[in-house]
């Protein structure tokens, strides 16, 4: 249907005066700008990885270490965007929440936990 409409509009635009064509071109350009703005507003949030967000992530980890001990977390600065028992689970949770590039961190278990080694 959209292709038929487009073809019809293009055919009809040939009958417009040069001034009307200019007006139509300005209208369509404005529509494209609005569509681009809406697309950017609805785009997946990007995660910034800089000194400030790194400091925020460290602060979040210190504040919530006991709560998430032994788990993996996905962070966007000081915001938890996913968590899970495995790093993959935390990553998938972050993606579902719109943060495909979140910082993934393993929160160490509380002291006294068991570990394996030689």
């Amino acid at each position: 249907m959209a292709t038929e409409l487009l073809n019809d509009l293009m055919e009809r635009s040939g009958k417009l005066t040069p001034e009307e064509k200019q007006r139509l071109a300005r209208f369509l350009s404005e529509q494209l700008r609005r569509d681009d703005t809406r697309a950017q507003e609805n785009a997946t949030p990007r995660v910034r990885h800089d000194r400030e967000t790194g400091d925020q992530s460290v602060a979040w980890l210190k504040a919530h270490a006991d709560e998430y001990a032994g788990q993996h977390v996905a962070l966007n600065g000081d915001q938890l965007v996913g968590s899970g028992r495995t790093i993959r689970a935390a990553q998938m949770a972050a993606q579902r929440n719109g943060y495909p590039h979140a910082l993934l961190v393993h929160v160490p278990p509380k002291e006294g936990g068991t570990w394996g080694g030689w």
Side-chain angles (χ1 to χ4, degrees), residues 3-66:
T3 302
E4 292 175 25
L5 176 60
L6 178 61
N7 290 335
D8 183 50
L9 290 171
M10 289 190 302
E11 183 180 321
R12 288 178 179 220
S13 69
K15 298 175 186 173
L16 298 173
T17 66
E19 293 80 21
E20 292 169 331
K21 288 178 183 177
Q22 285 283 339
R23 186 175 168 198
L24 179 59
R26 283 192 300 272
F27 172 78
L28 292 174
S29 293
E30 181 59 31
Q31 290 295 310
L32 283 172
R33 277 193 290 278
R34 288 181 186 163
D35 290 347
D36 287 345
T37 300
R38 283 189 203 115
Q40 289 175 2
E41 289 171 355
N42 296 327
T44 301
R46 297 289 298 167
V47 175
R48 284 186 4 243
H49 295 293
D50 57 19
R51 175 79 183 220
E52 181 183 348
T53 57
D55 290 346
Q56 291 172 346
S57 296
V58 169
W60 186 95
L61 287 165
K62 288 179 180 178
H64 299 275
D66 290 341

Side-chain angles (χ1 to χ4, degrees), residues 81-96:
V81 296
S83 66
R85 293 187 60 178
T86 65
I87 197 164
R88 181 74 176 135
Q91 180 186 34
M92 290 178 69
Q95 287 176 345
R96 281 192 306 273

Side-chain angles (χ1 to χ4, degrees), residues 57-111:
S57 296
V58 169
W60 186 95
L61 287 165
K62 288 179 180 178
H64 299 275
D66 290 341
E67 186 179 353
Y68 289 90
Q71 296 185 52
H72 292 82
V73 295
L75 300 173
N76 178 30
D78 62 352
Q79 179 183 8
L80 177 70
V81 296
S83 66
R85 293 187 60 178
T86 65
I87 197 164
R88 181 74 176 135
Q91 180 186 34
M92 290 178 69
Q95 287 176 345
R96 281 192 306 273
N97 291 325
Y99 294 88
H101 305 288
L103 175 66
L104 299 168
V105 180
H106 178 257
V107 181
K110 295 179 184 179
E111 286 188 39

